[in-house]
Amino acid sequence: WSSDVCSSDLTGGSGISNNYGVQINGYLKANGGDITVTGNANLNPTTSNFNTGIGVSNSTLTTQGSGKISLTGTGSSTASSPGISLSLTGITTQSGNIDLVGNATNGNEGVDISYYSYIDSVMGNLIITGNTDQTTTGVTIAGTTLAAPNININGNTISIFNSSGDVGVIFPSIEGKGGTLSLQTFASGAPLSLNINSPDVFRNGGFSQINLGQPGGTGSLTLTGDTVFSDPVTRSEEHTSELQSP
C-alpha cells in the first residue's frame, strides 16, 4: 500500500481469539504525508486470548520527507494481548517523528518489539510509550535496533534482551545521532525498573546524554543485569543499580 497519507482507526471483532484491532502484514508507505494507525482490540472478551491492539509482522512502514509514523494500540485484558506487537518489521522516516503508544492491562505489555525488527529515523525523534499498571512491563525490546537523534522510552518497567532466531542470537542495539536517550516513567515519583540482559545494547553510543528516570525525580531506579553505557548518564535521585560506563 503506497499513498500520500495512510490512516486507519479500527476495532477488533468478538471471536474466540486473535481479535486484533489492526493487523499489518506487508508494505505501507506514505509518499508525502503521515502514517497514522489506531487499533483497539476487542476489549470485552472474558476467555479469548491474543487480542492485540496493533499487530505488525513481516512488514515495512516508511514515510518520505517530514512524514510521521504514529501507532496507537490498545489490547484487551485477556492473556497475550499487548497494546502494540512488532516482529520482523522495519519502521523508517526521514525527518518525521516515530511515535508508538501501547495501552495494556492485566499483565500484558504495552509495546512489544521483537527479533529482526528495526526502527530508524534519520532526523526525527523516536518515542515509545507503554501505558500499563505498575507491575507490568511497559516496553519490551528484544533483538531489535533502535536509532534516532533523540529516543524517549516511557514505561514503569522497560526490558531489553537478546533474542534467538534462525541464524542464532540476535543482539539489540540502541543508537543515537547526537541527541538524548531517556528511559523514564510517567511521573517524577514513580519507580523505574530496567531489565537488561544484553550488556552491549548501548555500546555504539551516539547520545550526548542518557537520562535514567525522570530528570530530578525522586522515584527509585532498579537495574537488573549489568550493561555498559558509552555516553554520559544522569540517574534519578534514588537508585539501586549496577551501572558501568567506560
Side-chain angles (χ1 to χ4, degrees):
W1 183 10
S2 179
S3 180
D4 290 338
V5 178
C6 302
S7 178
S8 68
D9 186 343
L10 301 172
T11 298
S14 57
I16 296 175
S17 63
N18 293 300
N19 297 300
Y20 288 79
V22 175
Q23 189 169 21
I24 300 172
N25 191 330
Y27 185 78
L28 190 60
K29 178 181 179 181
N31 295 317
D34 303 334
I35 294 175
T36 303
V37 179
T38 301
N40 301 299
N42 182 355
L43 304 182
N44 297 318
T46 57
T47 59
S48 62
N49 300 325
F50 306 104
N51 300 303
T52 301
I54 297 176
V56 187
S57 179
N58 294 286
S59 298
T60 298
L61 281 65
T62 185
T63 61
Q64 301 295 310
S66 60
K68 302 186 294 292
I69 296 178
S70 300
L71 306 181
T72 302
T74 301
S76 77
S77 60
T78 56
S80 302
S81 300
I84 294 176
S85 175
L86 305 179
S87 65
L88 297 164
T89 289
I91 298 178
T92 62
T93 64
Q94 293 181 350
S95 60
N97 291 344
I98 300 172
D99 193 0
L100 309 180
V101 179
N103 305 304
T105 59
N106 199 31
N108 293 303
E109 297 160 318
V111 179
D112 180 10
I113 307 172
S114 62
Y115 64 95
Y116 293 114
S117 293
Y118 62 91
I119 302 176
D120 190 332
S121 180
V122 177
M123 293 183 290
N125 299 320
L126 169 59
I127 304 170
I128 302 174
T129 302
N131 291 312
T132 60
D133 57 53
Q134 192 65 48
T135 61
T136 303
T137 299
V139 178
T140 294
I141 299 166
T144 292
T145 295
L146 307 180
N150 297 288
I151 299 177
N152 192 325
I153 303 176
N154 303 293
N156 296 320
T157 299
I158 299 170
S159 297
I160 304 171
F161 53 91
N162 304 332
S163 181
S164 296
D166 295 338
V167 297
V169 177
I170 309 301
F171 297 97
S173 179
I174 298 180
E175 306 167 9
K177 301 179 181 181
T180 61
L181 168 65
S182 296
L183 307 175
Q184 60 189 29
T185 57
F186 307 104
S188 61
L192 172 64
S193 295
L194 299 178
N195 302 323
I196 303 174
N197 83 340
S198 186
D200 294 327
V201 61
F202 304 110
R203 177 74 73 175
N204 290 333
F207 297 102
S208 61
Q209 180 71 42
I210 297 176
N211 300 316
L212 304 181
Q214 287 280 350
T218 58
S220 63
L221 167 62
T222 301
L223 174 61
T224 302
D226 294 338
T227 192
V228 175
F229 294 94
S230 300
D231 302 308
V233 176
T234 297
R235 296 176 285 182
S236 60
E237 294 178 6
E238 299 180 19
H239 54 275
T240 55
S241 57
E242 294 293 334
L243 303 179
Q244 299 179 11
S245 180

